[in-house]
Amino acid sequence: MKSVLVKTLVVTFALLVSAGNLSAKKKVQLSDREYWCQQAYKMARPVLENMAKGELQKNMQLEVSPNWDGRNKKVAYMECFGRLMAGIAPWLSLPDDNTAEGQQRQQLRMWALAAYKNAVDPQSPDYLAWRGHGQALVDAAYVAESFIRAYDALWLPLDEVTKKRYVEEFTQLRRIDPPYTNWFLFSSTIESFLAKVGADYDQFRVNTACRKVEEWYVGDGWYADGPSFAFDYYSSYVFHPMYLETLKNMVDAKANTRLDYQKYWDRELKRAQKFAIVLERFISPEGTFPVIGRSTPYRLAAMQPLALMAWYQKLPQDLTNGQVRAALTQVMHRMMDQQNNYNAGGYLTIGFCGSQPNVADWYTNNGSLYMCSLAFMPLGLPADAPFWTDAAQPWTQVKAWGGQPFPKDHHWGDEIRTRDKF
């Protein structure tokens, strides 16, 4: 068995070299975690260092879609900050230490806390565009999600004035009537966070989102984005993570409504685990995955549920820590090493693997792309966690295309039934 594994890993390594992903000695010398930290820090530093000083809107080199719809371009800064923080929040929640990683993490957290304050301070040049347009609902949800994912490290240390301002900004977003899509979960994420912190919340917005998401579940881990199914990654970008977090917030808040949030969460966890299996099987031996649907410039965000299950330490039985880490690491190498994904100012540029402006949708700006950070969530596990210490293993497509045994995949059905409590 050991010789088979060794042989498989040798084959895998040969594939990676042939793809040009490990041609530089520098990359061979970095551990997987060191490489992930390097990528996360590179992505985060220009945003947080500038915003901590109130200079993000002054210095960020902005790029918008070639078919931009004409909305106020200031939405880009809120998108950039909220989405970045939702991805790196778990990492920043780790305790300080004297390692090189720990020093970077501490610096980013200090910048982030200053940036959070500026984001809601009307006197700051980096006060974000919370009002006057519907897009604010989307990215306020990612800001709230960052607080959910690092509650003790990023929410509790904020001063009371700043916390009050966030509650006010979140509350005024009820003026927005969300479209009949995944946007329902932006509302429920915000409202359930308000419930978690003990503020007034809109129970109807939370429960309506839960009921609609249940109606839109189409099976085998997939959600339709509204009444009709679209073959895209919105089950990754929004549905699984924000539905799980909405339900968990309501459990934490001890909310007593018609819905049994714990049962809903238990069922949604199983669906997310099934979808993680699907995503892992999408990753080719070379570290590529299918480019499908809209919002493709979100890049690594397509892998968010797989990263989330790893961070939760809830990977399904079919997936090991070693194979998931190896697969996600190879995707990062394939996407981030071979093409330049950043502009001259160090900010992400529109594209999927490099600069590809033609793949933008009408709402895409380069702030939107910081959803890419959502794949970094396993950095929230300490360096001695099994996800980082287990030996690398071949992932499913490496086994399948390498002539090795691999697990079969079958339809998964819901077993948990929910009824209104009253």
Side-chain angles (χ1 to χ4, degrees), residues 398-417:
V398 171
K399 295 175 184 175
W401 290 95
Q404 302 298 325
F406 64 96
K408 293 183 288 185
D409 184 36
H410 293 288
H411 173 74
W412 178 87
D414 286 343
E415 299 171 353
I416 298 173
R417 297 288 177 262

Side-chain angles (χ1 to χ4, degrees), residues 253-290:
K254 297 180 171 56
N256 183 25
T257 77
R258 293 183 184 277
L259 302 191
D260 186 335
Y261 299 112
Q262 185 62 58
K263 273 193 175 181
Y264 275 71
W265 188 90
D266 292 342
R267 179 171 60 194
E268 166 50 25
L269 176 64
K270 291 181 179 296
R271 292 175 182 172
Q273 288 172 324
K274 170 59 183 179
F275 197 66
I277 292 172
V278 172
L279 291 174
E280 191 270 350
R281 284 175 177 258
F282 274 5
I283 300 173
S284 76
E286 298 78 20
T288 61
F289 59 86

Side-chain angles (χ1 to χ4, degrees), residues 89-90 92-93 145-157 311:
L92 302 191
S93 70
E145 192 172 47
S146 73
F147 290 142
I148 293 163
R149 292 174 175 178
Y151 190 80
D152 291 347
L154 298 179
W155 173 255
L156 292 183
W311 177 46

Side-chain angles (χ1 to χ4, degrees), residues 3-60:
S3 62
V4 170
L5 177 59
V6 171
K7 179 180 177 182
T8 305
L9 289 172
V10 169
V11 171
T12 305
F13 185 77
L15 283 168
L16 304 187
V17 172
S18 68
N21 297 331
L22 296 177
S23 56
K25 285 185 177 180
K26 181 180 177 182
K27 293 185 176 65
V28 176
Q29 292 170 349
L30 290 177
S31 70
D32 288 347
R33 186 177 179 91
E34 287 170 335
Y35 177 74
W36 283 48
C37 291
Q38 179 190 76
Q39 294 300 316
Y41 189 78
K42 178 180 180 180
M43 192 176 295
R45 178 173 182 169
V47 177
L48 298 184
E49 185 175 19
N50 276 288
M51 196 166 173
K53 296 182 289 188
E55 296 180 353
L56 179 66
Q57 298 184 38
K58 172 187 172 185
N59 294 331
M60 181 176 172

Side-chain angles (χ1 to χ4, degrees), residues 341-391:
N341 293 276
Y342 293 90
N343 62 28
Y347 298 92
L348 285 171
T349 188
I350 294 176
F352 176 77
C353 186
S355 177
Q356 300 155 306
N358 65 296
V359 302
D361 295 289
W362 49 266
Y363 48 80
T364 308
N365 60 75
N366 64 330
S368 315
L369 317 181
Y370 283 82
M371 205 180 290
C372 182
S373 72
L374 298 172
F376 293 138
M377 282 185 286
L379 284 175
L381 296 169
D384 59 358
F387 181 83
W388 298 109
T389 60
D390 285 0

Side-chain angles (χ1 to χ4, degrees), residues 6 21 23 25 38 40 54 63 102 117 121 124 140 168 181 191 224 252 272 297-298 354 376 406 409:
V6 171
N21 297 331
S23 56
K25 285 185 177 180
Q38 179 190 76
E63 181 184 4
K117 184 175 181 178
D121 181 357
S124 170
E168 290 174 353
T181 64
E191 296 295 337
D252 290 348
Y298 296 168
F376 293 138
F406 64 96
D409 184 36

